Amino acid sequence: MKAETVIQQAKASFDRVLANEKYAGIIRDDRHLALLLGMLNVQENSSILDLGTGNGYLAFPLAAQHPSVQVCGLDIAPEAIARANVTAQEQGLVNARFLAYDGLHFPFAPASFDLIVTRYALHHFPQPDAMLSALHSLLKPGGHILVADPMAHGNDDRRLIDSLMTIKGDGHICFYKQAELAELFHRHHFAVEKQIISHMRYPFPRNDAYNTLFAQTSETERQMYQLSDRDGIVWVGQIEVGNTLFVRQ
């Protein structure tokens, strides 16, 4: 599938679900938010990019906690971006702004940011090498990028988790295994500074496609992700989330 097609699929999906309070409740996790904010050493007067900002889950607390910094939230979902800008105005956060973009071309000059953060977005990028090359350019020397994204189990050889996610039709590309994640960033001159593993669980909508795929899974695969089918709803009971702080080299 072409990159533009994947991005349009994701754009349509997220403009819809980001306005849904039920979805927002599923991905909201105050403990995870606190973990991510605690991993950062935000410097005075720095510039921060929140890539795949959605509803501003990271952008808003960063702007509120650090009034001297400039925070830019970037996303492909224009309706979510419009709502975030209104919220920023309502909250008086003059150091927060939100922009929509095409998912491929970043609207910034090189060395624009000291820090980039991204939560639950990496698996949607159809051209990861081009993206990381661009992010390396956008960061100032010695800058950091904090990536929080679910990871495929190391023994998930047939990528069951990706098959489940693809059914959603929201532009999912892949969850990286831990070794794949490290290699991808190393290839683009980023080094791991720290990593903390957390966990999440996720329900898939009541859907025959999920139930059919679940019926085809082995007991070993079900144990990998604590996969279950409760009253026709397939649950991933546990998936590791890699919260990784990389430094630009």
Side-chain angles (χ1 to χ4, degrees):
M1 191 179 295
K2 291 183 178 180
E4 292 82 0
T5 303
V6 173
I7 290 168
Q8 287 304 313
Q9 186 182 59
K11 177 181 175 181
S13 173
F14 282 103
D15 254 338
R16 181 179 69 255
V17 300
L18 287 170
N20 186 316
E21 278 300 315
K22 184 177 180 180
Y23 174 83
I26 290 173
I27 64 171
R28 184 182 298 122
D29 184 337
D30 291 341
R31 288 181 298 177
H32 190 224
L33 177 60
L35 183 152
L36 295 177
L37 295 176
M39 292 180 69
L40 300 173
N41 181 20
V42 178
Q43 301 295 312
E44 293 288 316
N45 302 306
S46 58
S47 297
I48 302 175
L49 173 65
D50 180 13
L51 178 59
T53 189
N55 290 327
Y57 189 77
L58 282 171
F60 281 118
L62 283 168
Q65 293 178 16
H66 304 281
S68 74
V69 309
Q70 295 296 317
V71 179
C72 179
L74 188 69
D75 207 287
I76 61 172
E79 293 179 17
I81 288 297
R83 289 193 300 271
N85 276 314
V86 170
T87 301
Q89 290 182 335
E90 291 174 345
Q91 295 183 4
L93 292 173
V94 297
N95 61 330
R97 64 187 177 114
F98 296 86
L99 299 174
Y101 81 126
D102 65 4
L104 294 172
H105 307 98
F106 292 101
F108 309 108
S112 291
F113 298 100
D114 301 281
L115 170 66
I116 297 172
V117 297
T118 182
R119 177 181 185 260
Y120 298 169
L122 180 66
H123 57 279
H124 287 292
F125 288 98
Q127 298 176 343
D129 286 291
M131 178 201 66
L132 283 176
S133 178
L135 295 185
H136 189 277
S137 175
L138 290 180
L139 276 173
K140 298 175 184 177
H144 290 80
I145 176 169
L146 175 62
V147 178
D149 210 53
M151 297 188 298
H153 193 284
N155 294 326
D156 187 1
D157 295 330
R158 75 176 182 119
R159 310 307 285 239
L160 167 65
I161 193 66
D162 289 330
S163 297
L164 285 165
M165 295 298 295
T166 300
I167 293 172
K168 293 175 63 181
D170 67 351
H172 175 85
I173 302 297
C174 76
F175 287 149
Y176 296 93
K177 296 182 179 181
Q178 188 168 24
E180 294 170 344
L181 181 71
E183 196 280 329
L184 173 65
F185 277 78
H186 177 76
R187 190 161 68 240
H188 292 279
H189 310 291
F190 289 96
V192 175
E193 191 162 285
K194 78 172 76 166
Q195 184 182 69
I196 300 175
I197 302 298
S198 60
H199 299 85
M200 70 176 296
R201 58 200 298 266
Y202 197 88
F204 292 98
R206 194 182 302 273
N207 183 309
D208 288 343
Y210 291 116
N211 295 323
T212 298
L213 183 57
F214 176 83
Q216 298 169 351
T217 59
S218 67
E219 184 60 31
T220 299
E221 288 174 322
R222 294 179 187 182
Q223 290 178 3
M224 278 183 201
Y225 298 109
Q226 295 184 12
L227 201 65
S228 64
D229 182 355
R230 306 178 199 168
D231 300 323
I233 298 177
V234 175
W235 275 86
V236 172
Q238 178 169 286
I239 183 170
E240 288 191 344
V241 177
N243 306 288
T244 313
L245 186 65
F246 297 93
V247 60
R248 179 192 188 274
Q249 297 185 313

